Amino acid sequence: MLKFIIPTIMLMPLTWLSKSNHIWINSTAYSLLISFTSLLLLNQFNDNSLNYSLTFFSDSLSTPLLMLTMWLLPLMLMASQSHLLKETLIRKKLYITMLIMLQTLLIMTFTATELILFYITFEATLVPTLIIITRWGNQTERLNAGLYFLFYTLTGSLPLLVALTYLQNTMGTLNFLLLQHWTQPLSPSWSNTLMWLACMMAFLVKMPLYGLHLWLPKAHVEAPIAGSMVLAAVLLKLGGYGMLRITPLLNPLTEHMAYPFLMLSLWGMIMTSSICLRQTDLKSLIAYSSISHMALVIVAILIQTPWSYMGATALMIAHGLTSSMLFCLANSNDERTHSRTMILARGLQIFLPLMATWWLLASLTNLALPPTINLIGELLVVMSTFSWSNPTIILMGTNIVITALYSLYMLIMTQRGKHTHHINNLTPSFTREHALMALHILPLLLLSLNPKIILGPLY
Amino acid sequence: MLRRALPLGLGTGLLGRGLGTHREGSTLDWHGKVSEIKKKIQSILPGGAWSPLYDTSHLPPEHSDVVIVGGGVLGLSVAYWLKRLEKQQGAIRVLVVERDHTYSQASTALSVGGMRQQFSLPENIQLSLFSVEFLRNINEYLAVVDDPPLDLQFNPSGYLFLASEEGATIMENNVKVQRQEGAKVCLMSPEQLQKKFPWINTEGVALASYGLENEGWFDPWCLLQGLRRKVQSMGVLFCHGEVTRFISSSNHMETASGEKVTLKRIHEVHVKVDRSQEYQPVECAIVVNAAGAWSGRVAELAGIGKGPSGTLQGTKLPVEPRKRYVYLWHCPQGPGLEAPLVADPSGAYFRREGLGNNYLGGCSPAELCPQEEEPDPGNLEVDHDFFQEKVWPPLARRVPAFETLKVRSAWAGYYDYNTFDQNGVVGPHPLVVNMYFATGFSGHGLQQAPAVGRAVAEVMLEGRFQTINLSPFLFSRFYLGEKTQEHCII
């Protein structure tokens, strides 16, 4: 695993020592090369994981997430070039350094064997994200957003530290490879219930669960584009990944402890989808749609069936790419009109037809059009929840319909309709932006040809 | 890194100014201190906008979707209709930048407050008709919870225009157009006029048109305050400052016929705080120029008119301030309560003010004197000789009772005078794509403000005029040379 971590750390001296007109091209090109090396991890030759050392390993759950993370860094760098134009050189390098630091910590999170190392890097990812949001965000509300983000996730995850130290004491190890074979069930006592809560709350806040989701619209909307991309695509999946790793330890408590969170998620996905229909701010709409998709993932993980695990992992990867692409599209709008309100930038299809194609593709994948991997994930989740409990099909069906409604609403509001006079002189799309969108949609479409690599360890 | 990261980029204020002004006095102001601490705690808790270095509550926000330059009746009307016509509540963030919150020089506050439909252009008549309907139902349009209803003091006494022999045919045609649009106007011969208003001297009058309904005068300050209150309750932000600069970016583009044009987009407005060097750059998507008499200056800031004359880039916004005097006098034998606003063919006009035989009046010098005799618009000083020479003689001739009167007071106000054709400028500028105009109404802006606000809001939100078609009032007519002029006696 050091073959990823060390090059990523070395990207930092690369940025600082590059000439001023080469910082972007250097960091983007090298991070793209590093992302290609992650393809090596796909060669999982047996049901056990690929073990590189006692500290790092990768199995078919962490591999797709790792590939997503490493693929996203060059994309983030490409997307940030425009809004950092006016900054001084040192600040540009600082920004890139923050992104690289975040990337290193994320790689270590997804490949950590020891759960304490996972926890440390999990918490450490908050710091560069907070700096990116509060320093480079757009408006005064970003301080508020940073506070919400920091304290929600911190408060959720501090009990996890306590739980992990307790588990280390009782089980003697927190090495995931050994924990996979843990067979002793948890007795249903109060303290074990609290431990279940302590373990899960950190990840539920991160996902986010419907009742604890207030930080997400704020953080996503106020963050700069790279911050939004990494938040939506990867940081949310940290929660899912953590839940998938820790649930083997918490049998059989999950069967009855999961009910409140299942209800919250089932209800919350419909609520947040409906909120999307009433949003006027484009980034806010995409943020709420993220919550809705992640609620599906929470439901899938909590019912713990093989198909639902496959659906959860597929949905995480698919949503990561789609959400990131939607944020890039919204940012391209924002950079041109200097406003995130949808109502002020309408009829864009006439002005930017190729960008309208990307908008169409992104909206179609967002509403889980067959045969994309979004559909595979959603379908697996819907089927497994149906078999878990028949009436949930009504809620799931309603959610699918409302998702389609708001995705098309967003498409029609921004692309179709009569344009207003003040968008007459939109700058045409840059090649960089087209490359960005293509690099998002290409993996998404190619994965629909071979989805088994993202279906996780239970495939 | 964290220390540097947090407060930077929050607007350029004076560093080290300290957190507000703290008295180092010896009086123990417990109440004040406690409320200050409470305010600070409230601003720190999530939900408040807190700047760790210094207090920025007097500055406008860093980002606003629409910035309206000018907080007079036109600017507030545009803000009101924007908020009313947006599809969902809170969709658009609007900021109104007003330089003087006492409105000491604003045309709105110093206006005579007349409302008429007797124009010659059908668009003007439609604008006034909608505006009077707005004013009649003002307590439905501008209702705010828990606030008392507005009393506009609308006196529906009508307008009386007098025409001499030469102007009689124009007046008849105008009345025909007005009746077509739905205004209720009646034409009177001198005999009928003498019978209806016995205090009038009908010498030299060939025809008179009298507005029977929906004309009169009202209190402009009340409308302004009502709009301000309602607009604040709808979520529009007010800022006390002056726009000093527009930061824009240009795109060189080609039209369909191959001509090269440079389209400009304003993406930042620098708002300077009063009596200080501090300014706040406000990132915006749309700018509305409703600065009244100073619209020309604001347009110049955006680069409108900077180019070779005769081209579209070189066409300036022809709105400049023109000073007009209004005199208040007392005449015990004067016309009674039924007196309308009488407009003499010479250009002088008067109306009743209150119930104590006081009258307001003035004269538009455009008719009488050539350009050189326009009063100097540098200040609002009143010239009393103007009354003696230009206003009193024609009024005294028209109303013999006015031979004995006593001037009580006088004031001066600005017209946002459109030197091209004395009618308003509405809609976007063809080259600066996100600047919209709502100005230049040359003396009849107040009475058309509600309708103009709605028209501009429609263009901004829908892309075209939906209810009243104001395309004759677009900016492009200055370049094309098409005057939309009123064929009126005044």
Side-chain angles (χ1 to χ4, degrees):
Chain A
M1 214 48 61
L2 281 179
K3 65 174 171 279
F4 306 125
I5 298 176
I6 299 223
T8 315
I9 295 179
M10 292 309 286
L11 280 176
M12 284 197 255
L14 173 72
T15 330
W16 283 96
L17 295 174
S18 296
K19 279 198 295 195
S20 68
N21 48 353
H22 281 137
I23 44 173
W24 292 110
I25 184 98
N26 275 344
S27 43
T28 316
Y30 281 102
S31 48
L32 197 60
L33 287 177
I34 296 174
S35 74
F36 286 142
T37 58
S38 65
L39 291 170
L40 288 172
L41 295 171
L42 281 176
N43 189 14
Q44 305 267 337
F45 32 71
N46 56 18
D47 273 342
N48 287 330
S49 32
L50 281 178
N51 301 311
Y52 288 91
S53 72
L54 287 175
T55 350
F56 295 119
F57 83 116
S58 85
D59 72 347
S60 33
L61 171 58
S62 57
T63 304
L65 288 169
L66 199 58
M67 281 164 52
L68 177 65
T69 316
M70 297 175 78
W71 183 245
L72 218 62
L73 182 61
L75 267 51
M76 288 196 280
L77 289 169
M78 281 205 287
S80 313
Q81 277 184 26
S82 164
H83 79 91
L84 286 180
L85 271 178
K86 303 258 171 57
E87 304 258 356
T88 61
L89 187 62
I90 303 259
R91 292 218 183 122
K92 282 193 226 187
K93 291 186 177 171
L94 256 177
Y95 190 80
I96 300 178
T97 311
M98 286 296 118
L99 289 179
I100 294 171
M101 211 160 81
L102 184 59
Q103 176 82 333
T104 325
L105 291 168
L106 282 170
I107 296 177
M108 287 169 63
T109 319
F110 281 125
T111 56
T113 318
E114 190 76 32
L115 279 182
I116 294 282
L117 178 63
F118 167 78
Y119 177 79
I120 294 173
T121 46
F122 177 78
E123 290 300 298
T125 56
L126 290 180
V127 173
T129 321
L130 181 70
I131 296 178
I132 292 176
I133 295 179
T134 47
R135 168 63 186 88
W136 280 281
N138 279 330
Q139 300 166 38
T140 21
E141 289 89 12
R142 68 184 185 271
L143 294 172
N144 197 3
L147 274 170
Y148 263 77
F149 169 65
L150 182 68
F151 283 105
Y152 264 73
T153 28
L154 211 50
T155 320
S157 52
L158 279 177
L160 177 64
L161 182 60
V162 177
L164 285 178
T165 41
Y166 169 74
L167 284 174
Q168 164 86 7
N169 282 337
T170 48
M171 294 196 272
T173 175
L174 278 178
N175 191 321
F176 184 70
L177 305 167
L178 293 174
L179 289 180
Q180 273 177 328
H181 306 291
W182 184 257
T183 49
Q184 184 180 350
L186 275 181
S187 53
S189 65
W190 274 110
S191 50
N192 279 340
T193 312
L194 283 176
M195 199 189 72
W196 190 97
L197 274 176
C199 289
M200 294 296 244
M201 280 319 274
F203 307 117
L204 286 172
V205 170
K206 204 82 171 148
M207 284 297 279
L209 182 65
Y210 174 59
L212 304 162
H213 68 286
L214 283 180
W215 64 271
L216 191 135
K218 291 193 203 294
H220 275 92
V221 165
E222 304 301 331
I225 179 62
S228 293
M229 284 168 75
V230 78
L231 266 171
V234 186
L235 288 175
L236 262 47
K237 317 316 185 256
L238 276 179
Y241 176 76
M243 273 170 82
L244 283 169
R245 286 291 185 225
I246 215 143
T247 35
L249 297 174
L250 303 171
N251 273 325
L253 276 179
T254 320
E255 284 157 27
H256 57 267
M257 281 300 298
Y259 272 100
F261 305 105
L262 271 171
M263 296 306 123
L264 267 177
S265 295
L266 283 170
W267 183 237
M269 78 188 170
I270 298 188
M271 283 281 98
T272 43
S273 306
S274 319
I275 292 177
C276 284
L277 285 172
R278 296 286 300 166
Q279 284 300 320
T280 49
D281 179 345
L282 198 49
K283 279 178 93 162
S284 194
L285 198 155
I286 304 171
Y288 275 105
S289 111
S290 280
I291 306 180
S292 172
H293 287 261
M294 286 296 109
L296 273 174
V297 174
I298 297 179
V299 169
I301 296 176
L302 287 175
I303 61 178
Q304 295 187 302
T305 68
W307 269 11
S308 76
Y309 272 21
M310 290 200 283
T313 40
L315 206 47
M316 284 202 283
I317 304 297
H319 171 260
L321 287 166
T322 311
S323 211
S324 176
M325 184 172 180
L326 283 171
F327 273 116
C328 289
L329 287 167
N331 184 56
S332 73
N333 246 8
D334 185 10
E335 278 170 10
R336 289 182 166 75
T337 53
H338 293 274
S339 158
R340 298 196 307 254
T341 316
M342 281 196 290
I343 202 174
L344 289 179
R346 298 172 21 208
L348 288 174
Q349 188 166 8
I350 300 275
F351 292 101
L352 305 170
L354 191 49
M355 199 52 83
T357 315
W358 301 125
W359 270 103
L360 180 69
L361 284 175
S363 299
L364 290 179
T365 49
N366 198 23
L367 55 90
L369 191 76
T372 59
I373 46 178
N374 294 267
L375 178 77
I376 292 173
E378 259 188 58
L379 209 52
L380 286 169
V381 174
V382 171
M383 287 192 291
S384 44
T385 47
F386 178 67
S387 78
W388 171 74
S389 156
N390 289 4
T392 51
I393 191 106
I394 305 173
L395 294 169
M396 293 281 176
T398 320
N399 183 46
I400 294 183
V401 169
I402 304 182
T403 307
L405 278 176
Y406 70 69
S407 298
L408 291 175
Y409 167 69
M410 178 174 62
L411 182 69
I412 292 178
M413 269 300 263
T414 48
Q415 305 302 114
R416 312 285 161 92
K418 170 123 179 65
H419 64 92
T420 43
H421 185 268
H422 52 267
I423 56 170
N424 262 351
N425 75 333
L426 283 186
T427 339
S429 314
F430 301 114
T431 312
R432 169 183 62 85
E433 290 173 349
H434 287 308
L436 192 59
M437 308 308 163
L439 286 177
H440 271 110
I441 201 81
L442 220 51
L444 205 56
L445 296 176
L446 286 177
L447 276 173
S448 46
L449 295 177
N450 188 8
K452 70 172 188 281
I453 47 182
I454 56 168
L455 287 181
L458 279 114
Y459 178 70
Chain B
M1 208 184 283
L2 197 64
R3 228 176 341 139
R4 260 193 300 162
L6 282 176
L8 293 169
L10 286 175
T12 55
L14 301 166
L15 267 172
R17 228 178 59 189
L19 296 160
T21 50
H22 287 284
R23 281 173 304 165
E24 289 152 16
S26 49
T27 53
L28 286 177
D29 184 15
W30 286 118
H31 229 18
K33 286 207 183 113
V34 167
S35 57
E36 247 183 54
I37 291 177
K38 263 204 237 169
K39 242 197 311 175
K40 277 217 183 86
I41 292 180
Q42 238 177 8
S43 67
I44 288 176
L45 287 177
W50 177 54
S51 148
L53 266 194
Y54 47 81
D55 184 21
T56 51
S57 54
H58 58 286
L59 290 175
E62 284 179 359
H63 177 96
S64 175
D65 292 329
V66 180
V67 174
I68 299 183
V69 182
V73 71
L74 270 177
L76 292 181
S77 176
V78 173
Y80 171 75
W81 283 103
L82 264 180
K83 277 303 189 178
R84 204 182 132 109
L85 292 178
E86 65 184 5
K87 297 278 166 46
Q88 280 158 30
Q89 203 196 26
I92 307 184
R93 274 172 300 188
V94 182
L95 174 73
V96 174
V97 181
E98 168 58 47
R99 180 166 68 170
D100 177 11
H101 276 192
T102 60
Y103 294 98
S104 56
Q105 293 193 326
S107 317
T108 310
L110 299 166
S111 159
V112 165
M115 158 69 77
R116 59 176 163 123
Q117 276 86 48
Q118 295 186 47
F119 294 98
S120 64
L121 286 173
E123 287 86 15
N124 271 335
I125 305 172
Q126 287 164 10
L127 287 174
S128 287
L129 276 174
F130 176 74
S131 300
V132 83
E133 189 256 320
F134 182 91
L135 293 178
R136 274 190 187 282
N137 297 317
I138 196 164
N139 283 311
E140 281 163 26
Y141 282 103
L142 300 185
V144 178
V145 177
D146 281 347
D147 269 354
L150 292 168
D151 176 20
L152 271 186
Q153 289 161 26
F154 183 53
N155 284 287
S157 300
Y159 263 61
L160 179 69
F161 280 92
L162 305 172
S164 53
E165 282 290 337
E166 302 90 50
T169 11
I170 306 179
M171 179 176 267
E172 259 194 80
N173 292 335
N174 287 350
V175 172
K176 211 182 319 178
V177 178
Q178 288 152 23
R179 284 198 181 133
Q180 252 174 351
E181 293 295 331
K184 300 203 177 27
V185 187
C186 86
L187 281 169
M188 294 200 283
S189 66
E191 296 77 39
Q192 291 170 316
L193 191 59
Q194 188 73 71
K195 207 160 53 157
K196 191 156 174 77
F197 301 116
W199 37 262
I200 271 197
N201 169 17
T202 55
E203 162 200 345
V205 174
L207 195 59
S209 74
Y210 179 47
L212 294 172
E213 200 182 73
N214 284 340
E215 292 194 350
W217 56 88
F218 63 96
D219 179 15
W221 183 253
C222 180
L223 176 63
L224 189 67
Q225 291 308 310
L227 271 174
R228 223 181 130 92
R229 192 182 72 175
K230 175 69 175 172
V231 138
Q232 267 177 327
S233 82
M234 285 167 129
V236 170
L237 292 168
F238 273 83
C239 164
H240 188 175
E242 184 181 348
V243 170
T244 46
R245 213 174 151 196
F246 291 118
I247 310 278
S248 48
S249 57
S250 303
N251 271 344
H252 299 285
M253 305 181 118
E254 251 182 48
T255 62
S257 49
E259 237 177 81
K260 294 208 188 302
V261 280
T262 310
L263 294 181
K264 225 163 147 176
R265 154 180 297 272
I266 300 172
H267 54 83
E268 229 175 49
V269 177
H270 282 193
V271 177
K272 183 174 98 75
V273 174
D274 207 26
R275 284 190 294 255
S276 146
Q277 290 299 102
E278 200 178 354
Y279 70 93
Q280 166 80 300
V282 179
E283 199 187 343
C284 62
I286 299 179
V287 176
V288 176
N289 185 353
W294 301 275
S295 313
R297 229 180 289 166
V298 173
E300 266 174 33
L301 281 178
I304 295 176
K306 295 214 175 85
S309 64
T311 59
L312 189 51
Q313 295 95 298
T315 318
K316 294 195 211 291
L317 177 70
V319 173
E320 57 180 45
R322 290 276 172 96
K323 190 157 76 162
R324 297 287 178 265
Y325 305 110
V326 179
Y327 303 92
L328 172 71
W329 64 85
H330 174 73
C331 175
Q333 264 74 40
L337 293 179
E338 81 286 0
L341 196 153
V342 180
D344 196 63
S346 58
Y349 65 89
F350 77 93
R351 72 161 169 87
R352 172 182 61 81
E353 166 73 15
L355 303 169
N357 280 114
N358 293 316
Y359 303 90
L360 270 184
C363 174
S364 312
E367 302 303 313
L368 296 186
C369 18
Q371 288 297 93
E372 301 92 58
E373 293 188 34
E374 281 281 349
D376 167 37
N379 53 33
L380 285 179
E381 302 281 320
V382 180
D383 179 9
H384 291 276
D385 296 327
F386 186 79
F387 183 74
Q388 302 282 1
E389 292 161 30
K390 300 277 164 43
V391 182
W392 198 0
L395 285 183
R397 231 177 300 133
R398 192 57 60 203
V399 181
F402 281 161
E403 276 164 17
T404 49
L405 58 77
K406 182 167 163 57
V407 176
R408 281 268 164 86
S409 73
W411 67 85
Y414 291 118
Y415 272 14
D416 45 345
Y417 194 79
N418 179 350
T419 49
F420 189 71
D421 55 12
Q422 291 87 51
N423 264 319
V425 190
V426 168
H429 187 275
L431 292 181
V432 181
V433 296
N434 61 347
M435 173 171 266
Y436 288 84
F437 295 105
T439 178
F441 282 89
S442 321
H444 47 267
L446 173 65
Q447 57 189 280
Q448 293 175 338
V452 168
R454 186 175 63 167
V456 174
E458 280 167 4
V459 177
M460 277 161 63
L461 294 177
E462 306 293 330
R464 59 196 174 86
F465 295 110
Q466 278 181 327
T467 41
I468 303 178
N469 184 10
L470 294 181
S471 2
F473 288 167
L474 289 174
F475 184 91
S476 35
R477 73 185 195 271
F478 301 136
Y479 171 61
L480 299 169
E482 298 162 357
K483 292 195 181 194
T484 35
Q485 203 143 23
E486 281 281 311
H487 304 293
C488 238
I489 336 289
I490 268 200

